[in-house]
Structures are given as C-alpha cells and as structure tokens.
Amino acid sequence: KPPSEYPAYLHVTDIAGLVRGAAEGAGLGNDFLSHISAVDGIFHVVRAFDSEEVIHVDDSVDPVRDLETIQAELCAKDMQYLKKAVEQEKLDVKKNPTMKLSALFISTMDKVEEMLTNNL
C-alpha cells in the first residue's frame, strides 16, 4: 500500500470544429488550434455513423478521411510554429556574434520539418 494516495482524473474538453484549411484560418481555424495548443494531450473522436439529425461538414461520414484531416491540420499548424521558432533562433544568433546554430539544432529541425511535411 502506497504511503499516500492521489486520485487520478482526466479533464476532457470537446473542441469541435476542425475543418480542412483550419491552419490557414478556415472554419474556427485559429481559435480551434489555439485551444488545442493549450492542452497537455489530445485524443481524437470521430463519427462513424450516419444520421440525418447530425450534419457533417463534408456531407458524408468517413472517419479515415476525418482523421487524416485532423492530422494534416495539426501538422500544418506545427509547421508554422517550427518555422517561426527557427527564424527566431536565427535572429538571436545574428544579434550575438559569439553564438551559432549547432549542428544538432539544424539536423533536429530538419527532421521535424520532414516529419511534419509527411503529416507524421
């Protein structure tokens, strides 16, 4: 028996509204993606049933397509963050002549960019 106990909890927030093009501002776009960036973890729930009472943004139910859309939009937004971070790092290096970008930084950012380009 452990010396103390802390109950586990999971706070779930439904952030609906992701559509293709959200990373460029479509649909709830940046609002949706800013809500996502404020959480510690993400799990996807997509619809896999037909219902005339529940409208789908693409007018058809296709959970695989929906998951691919979610992944692509999250990767597109992450790519924007990555490019901004790399540019900021380059500016910081320019301001300080004693600094330089490390080979590890460059190779890591290149790998991350490749993964995001491939929606991984």
Side-chain angles (χ1 to χ4, degrees):
K1 182 162 169 99
S4 63
E5 294 180 15
Y6 293 94
Y9 70 94
L10 175 65
H11 179 81
V12 177
T13 304
D14 179 10
I15 307 173
L18 185 67
V19 296
R20 193 171 292 110
E24 286 80 41
L28 295 177
N30 292 324
D31 286 340
F32 173 88
L33 293 163
S34 70
H35 288 115
I36 286 288
S37 66
V39 301
D40 294 324
I42 300 170
F43 64 94
H44 307 301
V45 178
V46 295
R47 186 171 83 177
F49 63 89
D50 287 316
S51 172
E52 291 185 21
E53 296 177 13
V54 183
I55 299 170
H56 191 284
V57 69
D58 290 328
D59 293 326
S60 65
V61 176
D62 183 347
V64 173
R65 176 201 57 216
D66 294 344
L67 285 170
E68 288 171 348
T69 297
I70 291 167
Q71 186 71 16
E73 292 303 319
L74 292 175
C75 286
K77 194 63 175 182
D78 285 348
M79 183 70 84
Q80 291 174 6
Y81 289 133
L82 174 74
K83 289 182 186 251
K84 188 185 244 184
V86 169
E87 286 306 312
Q88 184 60 51
E89 193 69 21
K90 287 178 180 177
L91 284 173
D92 291 345
V93 167
K94 271 187 176 178
K95 291 177 188 175
N96 186 343
T98 63
M99 288 179 61
K100 68 176 192 169
L101 291 178
S102 72
L104 178 61
F105 176 84
I106 294 168
S107 68
T108 300
M109 294 303 112
D110 288 344
K111 287 176 187 174
V112 171
E113 183 174 3
E114 180 183 343
M115 291 175 70
L116 292 174
T117 299
N118 294 316
N119 292 331
L120 298 175

